[in-house]
Amino acid sequence: MIVLGIETSCDETAAAVVDDHEPRPRIRANLIHTQFAEHAPYGGVVPEIAARAHLDRIDGLIERTLDEAGVSFHELDGVAAAAGPGLIGGLLVGTMAAKGIAWAAQKPFIAVNHLEAHALTARLSDGVAFPYLLLLVSGGHSQLLVCAGVGQYRVLGTSRDDAAGEAFDKTAKLLGLGYPGGPAIEQAARGGAPARFSLPRPLKGRDGCDFSFSGLKTAVRQIISDRPPRDASDIADLAAAIELAICDTLADRTANAVAWFRGQYPQGATLVAAGGVAANQRLRQRLMALAAAAGLGFVAPPPALCTDNGAMIAWAGLERLHLGLTDALDAPVRPRWPLDGNVPMTAVMAATS
Ligand code: KG4
Ligand code: ZN
């Protein structure tokens, strides 16, 4: 089967065509237009600007994606779009485009949960088998969860305040490093000496799998107002301290989840990281070491499949299409759409039995 996937939930307009070729699925085309330049002057994503930019670009992007994949609308087996969670204007643009194509070509439409798409990407990139433990860290979400099957997610912990990506973005803004903050901090931190600044690791050492990052932002603001960074080496040291503090917190909470997962899911063999923050090299190394120490494999998709992209939406669409989980053309967009409770368990059991 072959599916077109459309992603417009935040500040990337993206489209991709993915097939379920054996033994490995193939990304036939994967195009993205990032709106960084449009939002940069404001230091963050402006929903109205994002919606207009999606609308301006979506048709041309889909056309070029199909051209590059060498398929026509009629050769598709389904059309998937991110239907939430995210910014409502962008979600409407992407789902309306997908529904229009699905209706015109008489193909099934699949309303994809953006978080589920991040969660399933390791199956596209590396064929990871269920069940696996997932650290999902993006600009809007930080969660530890068990992925037991398509539509079967058990959330073990979430952020009590900012998401991990938000912690990168907000501290980068304080440092004047621009948006998005994660890649900017990662680059600025190279060669920096993190030990020069002591930053909090909220909840570290406590039971459970919840996160907290808001104390970090306050601490960074305080350091900057006490003694503004004077040169590139001050910035590098502070950026390295921020990156290390976020990685320490994520690794500590993930270690608790790994211990629990090993006891509850003895057949589970893999720790997976996904979402934009999983593109961070220091975090990937930490998680790989942590998994190895617990006897688990570690998988993080290539960085370009960690940050938002169309291939992950097409792949989630394919996985759902295989189970017969398609959606009506009046399916709503869902600006809030938690991952557990994504699909009624009975529907999944009926489709797989
Ligand atoms: O998954 P994503 O592209 O969009 C959302 O669903 O939110 O994640 C974007 C987030 C941003 O907060 C960005 O700063 C962060 O991922 N990010 C990174 C890196 N690349 C992107 N954080 C740390 N290191 C990176 N290399
Ligand atoms: Zn995302």
Side-chain angles (χ1 to χ4, degrees), residues 25-289:
R26 291 182 302 199
I27 300 176
R28 305 266 295 254
N30 188 21
L31 270 59
I32 184 157
H33 178 269
T34 59
Q35 302 173 2
F36 295 156
E38 278 106 320
H39 300 289
Y42 307 93
V45 178
V46 183
E48 181 64 22
I49 293 176
R52 284 170 194 275
H54 287 306
L55 194 56
D56 283 347
R57 299 227 164 71
I58 191 79
D59 290 347
L61 192 79
I62 291 171
E63 206 176 321
R64 289 201 304 283
T65 304
L66 289 170
D67 269 0
E68 197 177 306
V71 292
S72 68
F73 287 147
H74 294 281
E75 288 166 301
L76 296 170
D77 292 291
V79 187
L87 300 172
I88 192 164
L91 294 171
L92 283 168
V93 171
T95 52
M96 291 309 287
K99 287 175 180 180
I101 296 166
W103 183 79
Q106 291 295 296
K107 304 291 178 182
F109 165 69
I110 306 117
V112 168
N113 180 311
H114 177 93
L115 300 174
E116 176 170 51
H118 277 305
L120 297 175
T121 304
R123 290 167 55 75
L124 166 64
S125 62
D126 293 81
V128 176
F130 295 123
Y132 53 89
L133 178 65
L134 171 72
L135 173 67
L136 173 46
V137 269
S138 69
H141 297 85
S142 292
Q143 299 186 341
L144 275 157
L145 49 143
V146 176
C147 299
V150 175
Q152 299 178 46
Y153 308 101
R154 184 168 172 187
V155 176
L156 308 178
T158 61
S159 179
R160 295 183 181 177
D161 37 62
D162 292 347
E166 235 176 321
F168 274 111
D169 294 337
K170 288 180 175 170
T171 52
K173 195 170 178 181
L174 291 172
L175 276 174
L177 290 175
Y179 180 85
I185 294 232
E186 179 166 35
Q187 207 189 342
R190 286 202 186 112
R196 208 177 124 201
F197 296 100
S198 107
L199 293 173
R201 273 90 167 134
L203 299 177
K204 189 173 173 193
R206 303 242 212 113
D207 284 348
C209 302
D210 279 351
F211 308 93
S212 166
F213 290 106
S214 64
L216 179 67
K217 192 180 50 198
T218 313
V220 170
R221 184 180 291 120
Q222 194 61 51
I223 288 171
I224 292 175
S225 82
D226 287 350
R227 191 174 168 280
R230 271 180 297 192
D231 53 26
S233 109
D234 282 352
I235 300 262
D237 293 347
L238 194 46
I242 291 166
E243 188 183 45
L244 183 61
I246 294 173
C247 289
D248 272 352
T249 301
L250 291 173
D252 178 77
R253 315 315 293 158
T254 305
N256 287 356
V258 164
W260 180 89
F261 179 71
R262 298 227 36 216
Q264 295 287 316
Y265 292 83
Q267 74 281 31
T270 315
L271 169 66
V272 171
V277 179
N280 185 277
Q281 292 302 328
R282 185 189 281 264
L283 179 63
R284 291 163 87 101
Q285 281 157 16
R286 284 290 289 276
L287 295 174
M288 187 183 289

Side-chain angles (χ1 to χ4, degrees), residues 328-351:
L329 290 183
D330 62 356
V333 294
R334 300 174 66 175
R336 289 179 194 282
W337 190 358
L339 203 44
D340 42 356
N342 182 18
V343 171
M345 208 60 103
T346 43
V348 175
M349 282 154 72

